Amino acid sequence: MNNNEINDNNFIPLIGKNYKIIGFERKDKIHKEGLLHSAVSVFIFNKENYLMMQKRSSKKYHSSLLWTNTCCSHPKKNESPLAAAHRCLIEEMGFDCFLKKQFCFTYYESFQYGLIENELDHVFIGYYNNNPTINYEEVEDWKWISLKKLIENIKFYPNLYTIWLKIIVRNYLNKLFCDDSYYK
């Protein structure tokens, strides 16, 4: 692997008008300057429609030790959102499955520690009935949870959850589901 390949892995897509990729920038610069960029969020459900959640690793540079959806990442340079979602699922949770893109949304959030999330988040769902094999460099813990319990927990303990998960649960919960039986 040469230096260009190593450096390319740190670059993620910048998003412009009409949500088109207009270039690539380093992830650290994007989060310091609040530039609009591409992200992926994956939601894996089991046959009982419980959500597989992860607690982000203490090693994450933001939102560490917070509970979130199954996995989240950014597409790398020249990687599609779907490919990024599969990569993230394998790297963080140790498995892969069929994923379907459900919707996209944008959000902007400033964090107390000086970082800014300004994302076009591509949201994918999938079904998996086994336990993951988590990567402890990325994930501190995991659990299955019903959406009813998740909504209740977010209401009473909002500081335990990532901002993007709270936005999705609050504004887009109905878009997480489809009635296509072949996903199960």
Side-chain angles (χ1 to χ4, degrees), residues 100-126:
K100 180 179 187 292
K101 185 172 180 179
Q102 287 297 92
F103 61 95
C104 294
F105 74 102
T106 59
Y107 73 97
Y108 183 96
E109 183 73 24
S110 295
F111 295 91
Q112 291 176 341
Y113 39 87
L115 296 178
I116 302 167
E117 282 289 19
N118 186 10
E119 291 188 335
L120 170 62
D121 196 357
H122 303 265
V123 179
F124 295 87
I125 66 161

Side-chain angles (χ1 to χ4, degrees), residues 110-150:
S110 295
F111 295 91
Q112 291 176 341
Y113 39 87
L115 296 178
I116 302 167
E117 282 289 19
N118 186 10
E119 291 188 335
L120 170 62
D121 196 357
H122 303 265
V123 179
F124 295 87
I125 66 161
Y127 291 92
Y128 188 75
N129 289 308
N130 299 313
N131 293 337
T133 305
I134 60 173
N135 173 355
Y136 286 99
E137 293 295 313
E138 299 285 336
V139 180
E140 196 79 17
D141 199 1
W142 77 278
K143 65 182 175 183
W144 292 107
I145 191 169
S146 72
L147 290 178
K148 181 180 178 182
K149 184 69 171 172
L150 176 60

Side-chain angles (χ1 to χ4, degrees), residues 33-182:
E33 296 182 15
L35 304 173
L36 182 60
H37 62 283
S38 185
V40 297
S41 291
V42 178
F43 287 75
I44 300 297
F45 295 93
N46 66 13
K47 60 186 173 188
E48 288 86 26
N49 278 324
Y50 278 50
L51 172 63
M52 180 186 291
M53 296 188 66
Q54 70 155 275
K55 187 175 193 180
R56 291 170 58 87
S57 169
S58 62
K59 299 171 185 163
K60 294 283 190 177
Y61 71 97
H62 82 80
S63 302
S64 61
L65 297 176
L66 296 181
W67 286 98
T68 197
N69 46 288
T70 311
C71 62
C72 339
S73 190
H74 299 94
K76 295 179 180 180
K77 190 173 183 180
N78 301 320
E79 180 182 47
S80 72
L82 178 60
H86 282 289
R87 173 184 48 79
C88 177
L89 193 54
I90 294 166
E91 288 175 356
E92 294 187 12
M93 305 306 282
F95 70 91
D96 198 10
C97 65
F98 180 83
L99 296 175
K100 180 179 187 292
K101 185 172 180 179
Q102 287 297 92
F103 61 95
C104 294
F105 74 102
T106 59
Y107 73 97
Y108 183 96
E109 183 73 24
S110 295
F111 295 91
Q112 291 176 341
Y113 39 87
L115 296 178
I116 302 167
E117 282 289 19
N118 186 10
E119 291 188 335
L120 170 62
D121 196 357
H122 303 265
V123 179
F124 295 87
I125 66 161
Y127 291 92
Y128 188 75
N129 289 308
N130 299 313
N131 293 337
T133 305
I134 60 173
N135 173 355
Y136 286 99
E137 293 295 313
E138 299 285 336
V139 180
E140 196 79 17
D141 199 1
W142 77 278
K143 65 182 175 183
W144 292 107
I145 191 169
S146 72
L147 290 178
K148 181 180 178 182
K149 184 69 171 172
L150 176 60
I151 292 165
E152 182 180 294
N153 287 353
I154 289 174
K155 179 179 177 181
F156 291 110
Y157 310 104
N159 293 336
L160 298 180
Y161 297 91
T162 61
I163 187 65
W164 56 91
L165 177 68
K166 291 185 285 191
I167 292 169
I168 291 169
V169 168
R170 182 177 59 240
N171 299 320
Y172 303 101
L173 198 58
N174 63 326
K175 292 186 176 191
L176 283 178
F177 298 100
C178 61
D179 57 2
D180 298 327
S181 61
Y182 64 89

